[in-house]
Amino acid sequence: MRDHLVKATAEDVRIFAAVTTDLVGEAVRRHDCYPVAAAALGRTMTGALLLAANLKNEEAVTVKIQGDGALGKIVADAVPEGYTRGYVDNPHVDLPPNAKGKIDVAGGVGRSGLVSVTRFTGLKKNVTGSAELVTGEIAEDLTNYLYVSEQTPSSIGLGVLVDTDLSIKAAGGFFVQPLPNASDEVLDHLEANLKNISSVTDLVAGGLDANEIINKILDGFDVRFLETTYLHFRCHCTRERIEEVLMSLGSDDLQSLIDDGHAEVGCQFCGKKYQFTAEELKALKN
């Protein structure tokens, strides 16, 4: 099943659902993530894609989870065209399972800190909002962010299933939002459905695609499917952008690299490494 995101509406409710198994697996492979980091990064990237689905083309969103746990900062970028990238400060965090026998994402993230969301809309000033972490499980934190920072009651579900060989067996998520004029009957029906569905990882691991996940969440609603977007891990780093970073260094710092005879610069988001010889560094300095 190709990674994809589906948008739909039903009786004063809008919903997005995504299957992100392959792109999360690519990110985990590139960053050599242990299970806690894999689950946290995968949830954050999926959440970013769900938030980006609200944007117009050529806009973008960055989600940053900054808790007091061992994982450090978790960052994911996404665009509505379906591309995402991300990283976690400390990908080798290893923790025992939590009290439910699950990967302890909350323990890795921490329960004190901030979730922030920046929307790049093409205007001169980007828009950033933030909210306190509430659980460290990321889905609940993004749900709380939407309610506190954007006054948007919503429900977000995220899941990543890590296999015994550290590969990603299943990943995905959903975003569901009642519209302002939704009746109490619609809200009660939706709440009951959300309480009765199994976890996102169970749904994706069970072979459900995004359309079927939506049908599960909106069981009993008259669902109208709108569009499908295929999703990919993609970084927009280039050698030219890395050169700009090097040229922004002070003269002394750049000269130090020249004296070393070479420089290796890695992209934090995708792990790709760029090599520069002393001659190439001298050209940048000049």
Side-chain angles (χ1 to χ4, degrees), residues 234-253:
R234 180 177 294 182
C235 187
H236 49 258
C237 71
T238 63
R239 188 174 182 85
E240 289 71 24
R241 292 192 179 199
I242 300 299
E243 288 175 351
E244 291 175 1
V245 172
L246 290 171
M247 286 189 290
S248 71
L249 297 176
S251 179
D252 290 344
D253 289 335

Side-chain angles (χ1 to χ4, degrees), residues 12-223:
D12 297 327
V13 175
R14 65 172 174 173
I15 185 169
F16 312 143
V19 174
T20 58
T21 305
D22 289 343
L23 68 87
V24 172
E26 177 68 11
V28 167
R29 182 189 65 79
R30 286 173 177 263
H31 295 297
D32 190 30
C33 293
Y34 288 7
V36 174
L41 178 59
R43 291 181 190 182
T44 305
M45 292 173 66
T46 303
L49 282 164
L50 291 167
L51 294 181
N54 270 324
L55 303 180
K56 299 176 182 178
N57 286 346
E58 299 184 4
E59 295 184 346
V61 65
T62 294
V63 175
K64 180 170 71 174
I65 308 292
Q66 179 71 71
D68 61 354
L71 288 173
K73 184 167 68 268
I74 309 160
V75 179
D77 294 341
V79 296
E81 292 84 357
Y83 305 126
T84 185
R85 62 178 189 164
Y87 70 89
V88 54
D89 277 347
N90 301 307
H92 290 170
V93 171
D94 190 16
L95 297 174
N98 62 21
K100 296 181 180 180
K102 304 291 186 180
I103 293 174
D104 192 6
V105 172
V109 171
R111 293 173 176 81
S112 178
L114 290 175
V115 51
S116 61
V117 177
T118 301
R119 300 178 188 272
F120 301 89
T121 61
L123 303 176
K124 289 184 178 181
K125 190 174 182 180
N126 302 320
V127 180
T128 299
S130 63
E132 296 285 338
L133 293 175
V134 289
T135 68
E137 294 286 353
I138 299 176
E140 293 89 340
D141 300 303
L142 287 174
T143 298
N144 180 66
Y145 159 79
L146 289 170
Y147 182 75
V148 171
S149 184
E150 300 189 7
Q151 291 78 53
T152 308
S154 310
S155 180
I156 292 177
L158 303 167
V160 176
L161 181 60
V162 185
D163 213 340
T164 54
D165 63 356
L166 303 186
S167 65
I168 301 303
K169 193 171 183 179
F174 66 81
F175 166 99
V176 59
Q177 181 181 77
L179 299 180
N181 57 342
S183 66
D184 289 342
E185 182 181 3
V186 166
L187 295 175
D188 291 343
H189 187 175
L190 180 60
E191 184 178 358
N193 283 4
L194 288 170
K195 287 181 178 179
N196 289 330
I197 65 168
S198 56
S199 69
V200 172
T201 48
D202 286 344
L203 296 174
V204 179
L208 272 63
D209 63 16
N211 293 64
E212 292 167 321
I213 292 172
I214 289 172
N215 280 330
K216 282 276 188 183
I217 296 170
L218 297 185
D219 183 40
F221 286 86
D222 183 16
V223 180

